[in-house]
Amino acid sequence: MYTYITTGTFFFLKKMKDKHPEDCMLLMQNADTCQLWHETEGKTIFQSPRKYEAIHSSGRLEQKGFVACNHIPVREENRPVFEYTFTEQMKKIEALPGFTAFRLLRPLSNDTYIAMTIWKDEEAFKDWKQSSLFADSHSKAIQSAKSTNIFSGPSYLSVFVLDDEDEINTD
């Protein structure tokens, strides 16, 4: 399974998504940007997307919810260890209240993975971040990273909402 990501204006991306109702696409937005994700076994309709291979997935992609994308740069030689460790840790969140879906995306043209989780709402995401499961898994990951130096740079989080009915008001 592959995931292709492109950016653009809300209305342009919504029009593209609406032209291809048979494809699995997520229209995600925040106050700064809008992205369209295309999950497929085949080729994408995007002209110049960022390309990823979905190496672990759970849950169904829904058209509504809160999306958290953790962008994690990993050194080439440490990819197998990272993939195994991260996948095992993320399997533990599947039963949490408000959890909808998870994708671990391996980059095909750079070093930055995307760990994407979808939650029923922002409150469910915040509950997970304040849970002992989150604290435990992240402390183990930090200890492992410090001892092996697997990361090629700092990670960062981007958050979005899924709601293709309306454009977000940025006022």
Side-chain angles (χ1 to χ4, degrees):
M1 182 73 65
Y2 295 93
T3 300
Y4 301 95
I5 303 171
T6 193
T7 56
T9 66
F10 174 84
F11 294 108
F12 175 76
L13 296 178
K14 180 161 176 33
K15 189 175 175 182
M16 186 183 304
K17 180 180 183 280
D18 290 347
K19 278 174 104 173
H20 301 277
E22 69 285 352
D23 288 324
C24 179
M25 293 190 189
L26 293 177
L27 181 57
M28 307 187 316
Q29 57 182 323
N30 60 31
D32 298 320
T33 190
C34 191
Q35 296 183 349
L36 187 59
W37 288 36
H38 183 201
E39 186 175 84
T40 180
E41 291 285 349
K43 296 187 181 211
T44 186
I45 60 164
F46 304 156
Q47 289 185 2
S48 300
R50 289 177 288 168
K51 303 170 188 174
Y52 298 86
E53 180 180 6
I55 58 172
H56 180 76
S57 63
S58 64
R60 289 190 55 226
L61 298 181
E62 301 287 340
Q63 296 301 318
K64 289 195 180 285
F66 183 82
V67 180
C69 295
N70 198 357
H71 303 262
I72 309 165
V74 177
R75 296 180 195 283
E76 181 74 33
E77 64 273 14
N78 295 310
R79 285 180 167 205
V81 171
F82 169 79
E83 290 173 9
Y84 174 78
T85 304
F86 202 90
T87 298
E88 290 304 306
Q89 289 296 322
M90 291 308 293
K91 286 179 182 177
K92 298 174 184 176
I93 73 166
E94 294 172 3
L96 291 177
F99 172 82
T100 304
F102 167 69
R103 299 294 188 269
L104 181 57
L105 305 178
R106 176 190 294 144
L108 297 178
S109 60
N110 62 47
D111 69 347
T112 303
Y113 284 76
I114 298 178
M116 184 265 291
T117 54
I118 301 178
W119 302 87
K120 177 184 167 200
D121 52 31
E122 186 175 5
E123 192 64 35
F125 172 71
K126 287 179 179 179
D127 288 347
W128 171 61
K129 283 188 66 171
Q130 295 171 359
S131 73
S132 60
L133 178 62
F134 180 88
D136 183 52
S137 65
H138 281 72
S139 69
K140 286 178 184 174
I142 290 168
Q143 284 178 340
S144 173
K146 285 181 179 177
S147 67
T148 59
N149 196 23
I150 68 170
F151 302 117
S152 58
S155 65
Y156 65 95
L157 182 71
S158 56
V159 296
F160 301 91
V161 293
L162 289 166
D163 186 356
D164 65 3
E165 296 304 314
D166 297 307
E167 182 177 23
I168 289 182
N169 183 357
T170 58
D171 295 333

